[in-house]
Amino acid sequence: MVKLRLKRCGKKQRAVYRIVAIDVRSRRGGRYLRKVGFYDPIKNQTYLNIPVILYFLEQGAQPTGTVQDILKRAGVFLELSPTQQTKVN
């Protein structure tokens, strides 16, 4: 099963995160399938590759809680079909 998860990058006390599609059995810093976005909690910046995120969600990928909040703020779930929205929530 694939999840959309945060992968920590950056320096000590200055974390930035990549949003990645990753296998559930992999650890947080492990090998990922594809990088789909970027999140900086200090500057509150996000970059999302919407078409790739929608592809993974349509294929059944489940976002983690934090990633789901980021995607909701960006309005990604509004672009999914209604049947796909119920699978994600």
Side-chain angles (χ1 to χ4, degrees):
M1 183 173 161
V2 176
K3 282 203 171 222
L4 296 177
R5 191 189 294 177
L6 293 176
K7 181 176 179 178
R8 190 177 196 277
C9 304
K11 300 177 183 178
K12 273 193 295 188
Q13 304 296 318
R14 180 76 182 89
V16 293
Y17 296 93
R18 287 184 181 157
I19 301 171
V20 295
I22 193 167
D23 187 38
V24 212
R25 296 168 290 190
S26 297
R27 56 182 192 221
R28 181 191 72 193
R31 187 172 172 196
Y32 55 89
L33 303 172
R34 180 125 187 221
K35 179 183 166 191
V36 297
F38 173 83
Y39 173 60
D40 185 351
I42 296 171
K43 294 181 181 176
N44 202 16
Q45 293 178 334
T46 57
Y47 165 76
L48 301 172
N49 190 344
I50 305 287
V52 176
I53 291 172
L54 290 174
Y55 169 77
F56 277 109
L57 290 174
E58 288 168 357
Q59 297 301 317
Q62 294 294 312
T64 59
T66 308
V67 172
Q68 189 168 1
D69 292 342
I70 293 169
L71 297 179
K72 276 184 187 175
R73 260 190 272 137
V76 172
F77 294 118
L78 300 175
E79 299 182 29
L80 281 175
S81 65
T83 56
Q84 291 291 332
Q85 287 180 2
T86 56
K87 288 181 184 177
V88 173
N89 295 333

